[in-house]
Amino acid sequence: MKETWRWYGPLDQIQLSEIRQTGAAGIVTALHEIPYGEVWQRDTIAERRSEIKAAGFEWDVVESLPLHEDIKRGTGDLASLFANYRQSMANLAAEGVHTICYNFMPLLDWTRTELNSPVANGGTCLRFSAFRMAAFEIGMLGRAEAENDYPTEVIAKAREWFSASSDKDQKELLNSIMSGMPGAYDRYDIEGLQRALDTYRGMDAADIRANYQRFLNEVISTAQDLGMRMCVHPDDPPRDILGLPRIVSDADDIAWIMGVNDAPANGLTLCSGSLGANPANDVVEIARTYSDRIHFAHIRNVRKDPDGSFEEAEHLSGDTDIPALCRILLGEEKARKSAGHPDWKIPFRPDHGHELLSDPEKKTFPGYPLIGRLRGLAEIRGVLHALSA
């Protein structure tokens, strides 16, 4: 498997020269400065790729070529948005970048309620607290329907937290929930988020699926023609939040996605952390079932609580059997190599990581510290070497 590292380009506090010291061979990045829906021009792509190449890397995966919210809602000038997306794909392919990771999460990307939750041996991690999320939805957003989305005991704890919370506590919670949106992404205040949620009012999972199917129909044939691989990232967390339906959360969702357009270019980003946060998911079995459609992997681990909360665990010590997962990915690579595929290696990156030692001084994007991810990469590297021996 090819070791890669997520880098946020000029927005990142971590330099390519530092990433070089991790031993990673490839870069996963995007043109985060470009607003959603606009074309990624070839000269801009070429400039970023040249910068990456000069530092000794290949640009292996685009994460992400984001989708405009109108595509997810099925509103607005869709013809122009799809045309722009296809042109960006063509420009990327012309510059030798052939793998695109994307997601179909309405409005928000990954969502956490705490960015600096203490861990046992020192350092901090990202955490999703069910009662804090419920407090946000019910107390701060005033979304009464949210009471139907959480267990009674979680609602009670949410009310207790909200009653005792200060303005500072509530601002920190809002900031945490908005922090999964890097680059030029919108960040909402409470009123702005309420307005944005209203644009999805009345839409259910079937509506979102229909809009997703339209997107696949518009871009997958282009990907096939360009020799590109599209790989959807699972929802994070893998459950409905804010009343927004999420449709890439479990094995049934993945089966629908892979079946509704069975072209090889329509593939999966196997994120062991996102899928692992859903107690119903057997991440290893999902990897086994869809191994031939995995174009990219995020390897991380989570530790779940019975109330629906979870936190980022050490890469090898959470709820998912990472060595078993790596064994499946290595087996799939072997099959691809035997079949003569020239690009048989599956790129992976150590996803998220604890903030350790001097990481807080860097002020990196939440979840993307240097030392914490380096530790994760080293641990995964050891697993892969042992399994390949």
Side-chain angles (χ1 to χ4, degrees), residues 352-385:
H352 295 181
H354 292 176
E355 280 203 331
L356 305 173
L357 302 173
S358 61
D359 274 332
E361 299 168 15
K362 275 279 192 184
K363 301 188 185 305
T364 56
F365 286 107
Y368 290 91
L370 177 60
I371 298 170
R373 280 189 290 165
L374 173 57
R375 175 182 174 177
L377 177 59
E379 291 175 344
I380 298 162
R381 180 184 295 148
V383 169
L384 292 171
H385 277 282

Side-chain angles (χ1 to χ4, degrees), residues 2-9 12 15-17 19-20 22 24-30 48-49 51-53 55-63 97 99 296 347-349:
K2 184 170 184 179
E3 298 178 4
T4 66
W5 189 275
R6 190 171 191 181
W7 178 59
Y8 287 96
D12 207 324
Q15 305 301 309
L16 287 170
S17 58
I19 299 171
R20 188 74 176 157
T22 71
I27 291 295
V28 174
T29 194
R48 184 63 52 83
R49 187 181 180 222
E51 181 182 6
I52 291 167
K53 199 169 186 64
F57 298 100
E58 293 295 329
W59 184 355
D60 285 295
V61 180
V62 172
E63 186 178 349
V97 186
T99 301
F296 180 37
F348 81 93
R349 64 175 179 84

Side-chain angles (χ1 to χ4, degrees), residues 123-142:
T124 62
C125 71
L126 302 179
R127 180 171 174 80
F128 179 88
S129 164
F131 77 81
R132 280 186 169 86
M133 193 69 204
F136 178 77
E137 294 201 51
I138 298 167
M140 294 173 63
L141 272 182

Side-chain angles (χ1 to χ4, degrees), residues 317-336:
S317 67
D319 295 340
T320 296
D321 186 342
I322 295 298
L325 186 67
C326 289
R327 185 177 290 111
I328 289 169
L329 296 174
L330 287 171
E332 175 60 25
E333 278 193 333
K334 184 176 180 180
R336 294 179 189 185

Side-chain angles (χ1 to χ4, degrees), residues 69-384:
E69 289 299 314
D70 278 345
I71 292 176
K72 300 172 189 177
R73 287 187 296 250
T75 58
D77 185 1
L78 293 176
S80 294
L81 288 173
F82 288 133
N84 287 356
Y85 202 95
R86 288 190 294 265
Q87 186 60 58
S88 296
M89 293 169 64
N91 291 344
L92 284 162
E95 291 300 323
V97 186
H98 289 95
T99 301
I100 297 175
C101 170
Y102 68 99
N103 74 70
F104 214 82
M105 288 181 265
L107 213 59
L108 298 183
D109 206 317
W110 62 262
T111 304
R112 299 292 186 272
T113 59
E114 294 142 275
L115 304 180
N116 306 108
S117 183
V119 295
N121 295 328
T124 62
C125 71
L126 302 179
R127 180 171 174 80
F128 179 88
S129 164
F131 77 81
R132 280 186 169 86
M133 193 69 204
F136 178 77
E137 294 201 51
I138 298 167
M140 294 173 63
L141 272 182
R143 197 177 77 81
E145 304 95 321
E147 295 200 24
N148 301 320
D149 297 340
Y150 296 91
T152 303
E153 59 272 18
V154 171
I155 297 293
K157 198 170 181 181
R159 293 192 186 284
E160 180 182 347
W161 181 90
F162 183 71
S163 296
S165 65
S166 63
D167 287 345
K168 180 175 180 290
D169 294 331
Q170 293 181 27
K171 287 178 181 178
E172 286 180 356
L173 179 56
L174 175 63
N175 177 66
S176 296
I177 291 170
M178 291 295 111
S179 289
M181 307 174 74
Y185 302 71
D186 289 331
R187 285 168 171 77
Y188 303 104
D189 58 17
I190 292 296
E191 292 74 19
L193 182 56
Q194 288 169 330
R195 288 192 296 271
L197 289 170
D198 282 342
T199 67
Y200 278 92
R201 190 171 296 280
M203 296 188 69
D204 60 17
D207 298 320
I208 303 293
R209 271 192 171 185
N211 295 336
Y212 186 23
Q213 184 172 358
R214 180 190 296 122
F215 169 74
L216 293 175
N217 291 342
E218 291 281 350
V219 304
I220 293 299
S221 60
T222 298
Q224 289 283 113
D225 292 343
L226 293 170
M228 300 192 82
R229 296 168 291 273
M230 300 290 294
C231 38
V232 65
H233 187 285
D235 302 324
D236 187 8
R239 52 161 293 170
D240 294 356
I241 58 171
L242 303 175
L244 299 172
R246 292 193 161 193
I247 59 167
V248 196
S249 291
D250 57 27
D252 289 342
D253 290 339
I254 294 170
W256 179 83
I257 294 163
M258 298 299 107
V260 77
N261 190 311
D262 63 359
N266 178 31
L268 175 67
T269 296
L270 183 79
C271 181
S272 56
S274 296
L275 291 170
N278 185 336
N281 286 336
D282 183 334
V283 181
V284 174
E285 187 57 35
I286 289 172
R288 181 178 292 110
T289 302
Y290 299 103
S291 60
D292 62 333
R293 304 286 284 276
I294 296 171
H295 300 322
F296 180 37
H298 291 176
I299 301 181
R300 63 181 172 91
N301 225 326
V302 296
R303 185 176 295 106
K304 299 183 287 293
D305 296 331
D307 68 354
S309 303
F310 63 89
E311 67 182 21
E312 307 283 354
E314 295 170 353
H315 284 76
L316 301 185
S317 67
D319 295 340
T320 296
D321 186 342
I322 295 298
L325 186 67
C326 289
R327 185 177 290 111
I328 289 169
L329 296 174
L330 287 171
E332 175 60 25
E333 278 193 333
K334 184 176 180 180
R336 294 179 189 185
K337 186 177 182 180
S338 297
H341 293 298
D343 53 352
W344 54 270
K345 283 194 172 184
I346 299 173
F348 81 93
R349 64 175 179 84
D351 194 17
H352 295 181
H354 292 176
E355 280 203 331
L356 305 173
L357 302 173
S358 61
D359 274 332
E361 299 168 15
K362 275 279 192 184
K363 301 188 185 305
T364 56
F365 286 107
Y368 290 91
L370 177 60
I371 298 170
R373 280 189 290 165
L374 173 57
R375 175 182 174 177
L377 177 59
E379 291 175 344
I380 298 162
R381 180 184 295 148
V383 169
L384 292 171

